[in-house]
Amino acid sequence: AGLADERVDTRVAGLGPGQPVTLRAVVSDERGCLFQSCAHYRADGRGELHLGTDASHGGDYTGVEPMGLFWSLAPAGMERPYQRLVPRSTGTPMKVEMLVHRGHSQPGAIHGPVMAKVEVERWFTAPGVRRIRLKEGGVRGSLFLPPGDGPFPGVIDMYGDEGGLIEFRSSLLATHGFAALSLPYFDFEDLPKVMKEFKLEYFEEAARFLQRHPKVKGPGVGVIGTGKGAELALSMITFLPEVVAAVCISGCSSNTVADLHYGEMTLPGLRFDMNKVSVSDTGVFDTFEALDDPTNPANSPCTIPIEKAEGHFLLVVGEDDRMWKSSLYAELAIGRLRQHGKENFALLSYPGAGHRIDPPSTPFCQVAVDRVLGVPVLGGGESKAHAHAQEHSWRKIQEFLHLHLG
């Protein structure tokens, strides 16, 4: 058993010298959907294998990849393709069965006889982390508190246009010493069902709640967001003095889709032009060119005036993001800050990484069914590069938040 963002040390002993074997990982999610991965190895002269130093020669990945069996997990052949393996509940571990099969067998083929197996538990919360469900004024979500008296640095955590409450990153942040508020902003309980328009006052109320919590260290709080959540994080640090640090993963530097209101002010949302969406022969939607161009002067009212922010930005992008042009949007944000004489930002830009950069070992999903559109949408990226980006950025994100929140 171990934390879901920590490496697993996998060794096999008792094989014949040079013996070929296939290692597999198998897991089923809360809905019973089966995910699996496999890789080909050869034992060394002593009949042993160590995934930390030995290379895979085939299967779902090649090379020395200690966590390859975890990040290459994908829906089994009989399941609907393009599903994400995302933990819905943080209180129970994800149970992964690891198997050693005789001989080399291809992904999807019948595997040789099982020689050994073990179950690995991947926990998303450490012992002592408390989860408190929130109905505080208009604010909904879950607050995760680390064990101990605190006070702890406070972070608001938001995901993208899939909506609902996604908690696994918040619970891992709490495990690493942050008071983390997992904040849904539509399609949850009594929140709006769809992304039509947003009021920044909702996010302000959440920031104030967290900032005033007796377990939270002041004076300011941080925010981490992915996709639409990253763009909301930019607006929060721009307009809300309570927010002093923002981690923006694959976001846009303009407001998109839904108008954002704050008092008398409105930031209109850039629109998606569905005529610019291309569909592959296999029915996968590519939305890369579909968002209105933020550099078009006609769209300047949508730009988030981030130069007004007093706090610090960490921009995280995958250079092969196909959901939208997050690398370009990060460049635009940095250009805007520099134009105003500001250097209050850092950029993590990863070649070969796709759209959704999650905590380490979260299975790579190049194409995922969009919850709103109900069709498979291309997120981009290449599995190995994306996995390495997740591992590296997770460490850097925590360092950034600790630096600016204490």
Side-chain angles (χ1 to χ4, degrees):
L3 288 171
D5 59 352
E6 289 178 354
R7 281 191 174 186
V8 174
D9 188 38
T10 308
R11 298 169 187 266
V12 184
L15 300 169
Q19 183 171 358
V21 289
T22 298
L23 265 60
R24 275 175 80 220
V26 181
V27 62
S28 63
D29 69 7
E30 283 98 329
R31 296 161 306 176
C33 173
L34 195 68
F35 292 77
Q36 58 184 11
S37 59
C38 76
H40 300 162
Y41 288 91
R42 280 188 187 277
D44 64 14
R46 294 174 311 204
E48 293 180 1
L49 256 185
H50 181 210
L51 267 56
T53 53
D54 294 328
S56 160
H57 305 291
D60 290 318
Y61 62 90
T62 56
V64 178
E65 293 294 334
M67 295 300 290
L69 287 169
F70 292 85
W71 54 250
S72 64
L73 282 162
M78 69 285 215
E79 301 289 356
R80 276 185 321 149
Y82 312 137
Q83 296 189 71
R84 275 190 195 286
L85 180 56
V86 174
R88 307 270 175 237
S89 130
T90 55
T92 52
M94 188 180 280
K95 294 181 177 179
V96 184
E97 190 170 40
M98 313 277 284
L99 304 104
V100 182
H101 294 269
R102 193 183 301 278
H104 286 164
S105 43
Q106 295 306 318
I110 302 289
H111 297 281
V114 175
M115 305 171 73
K117 62 179 181 177
V118 68
E119 188 176 77
V120 178
E121 290 186 355
R122 306 284 283 158
W123 285 88
F124 290 88
T125 39
V129 168
R130 284 199 301 146
R131 173 181 178 265
I132 301 155
R133 278 301 301 279
L134 278 195
K135 251 192 168 161
E136 192 71 34
V139 177
R140 301 291 173 263
S142 299
L143 177 63
F144 290 87
L145 293 173
D149 296 334
F152 308 104
V155 181
I156 291 171
D157 177 24
M158 300 180 295
Y159 269 91
D161 59 7
E162 62 268 58
L165 178 64
I166 300 173
E167 298 177 312
F168 74 101
R169 185 165 62 192
S170 303
S171 64
L172 285 171
L173 283 168
T175 293
H176 292 289
F178 296 93
L181 169 54
S182 184
L183 186 69
Y185 48 93
F186 77 102
D187 196 26
F188 181 72
E189 292 183 352
D190 55 357
L191 295 174
K193 270 276 161 261
V194 293
M195 285 203 301
K196 206 155 95 185
E197 55 178 1
F198 292 122
K199 288 187 166 57
L200 198 61
E201 283 83 357
Y202 171 77
F203 303 92
E204 182 175 52
E205 194 182 342
R208 286 180 177 167
F209 163 80
L210 189 62
Q211 183 195 33
R212 292 169 184 166
H213 195 282
K215 291 262 188 183
V216 172
K217 189 190 281 191
V221 298
V223 58
I224 177 171
T226 297
K228 178 67 187 177
E231 173 200 309
L232 286 164
L234 287 178
S235 292
M236 288 170 74
I237 193 171
T238 297
F239 296 110
L240 308 179
E242 296 84 2
V243 178
V244 298
V247 178
C248 306
I249 302 169
S250 310
C252 183
S253 49
S254 293
N255 186 53
T256 67
V257 183
D259 292 358
L260 180 69
H261 306 283
Y262 186 46
E264 299 293 297
M265 182 210 72
T266 296
L267 282 182
L270 288 179
R271 302 296 178 202
F272 277 95
D273 180 351
M274 294 314 280
N275 293 322
K276 291 184 179 168
V277 175
S278 60
V279 185
S280 73
D281 297 342
T282 53
V284 173
F285 284 59
D286 185 341
T287 58
F288 188 68
E289 296 289 349
L291 187 68
D292 287 349
D293 179 5
T295 63
N296 181 338
N299 294 324
S300 61
C302 305
T303 306
I304 304 165
I306 55 173
E307 69 279 358
K308 294 182 177 175
E310 293 298 321
H312 290 264
F313 300 89
L314 177 63
L315 307 172
V316 183
V317 294
E319 292 174 19
D320 194 30
D321 184 351
R322 293 295 303 179
M323 196 75 77
W324 60 11
K325 302 174 182 179
S326 53
S327 283
L328 168 68
Y329 306 149
E331 276 173 37
L332 293 175
I334 288 169
R336 191 175 180 96
L337 290 169
R338 286 208 164 124
Q339 206 181 328
H340 290 83
K342 298 215 156 186
E343 290 290 332
N344 55 340
F345 63 87
L347 171 68
L348 297 175
S349 185
Y350 295 102
H355 180 70
R356 193 164 144 164
I357 298 172
D358 272 327
S361 306
T362 301
F364 171 68
C365 204
Q366 189 182 48
V367 176
V369 174
D370 185 278
R371 209 192 55 81
V372 181
L373 300 173
V375 296
V377 174
L378 182 62
E382 178 276 314
S383 59
K384 194 183 289 196
H386 191 90
H388 293 176
Q390 292 192 146
E391 193 160 332
H392 183 265
S393 63
W394 185 236
R395 199 172 62 247
K396 291 293 184 187
I397 286 166
Q398 291 175 63
E399 286 171 11
F400 170 84
L401 290 170
H402 276 302
L403 177 65
H404 297 294
L405 302 175

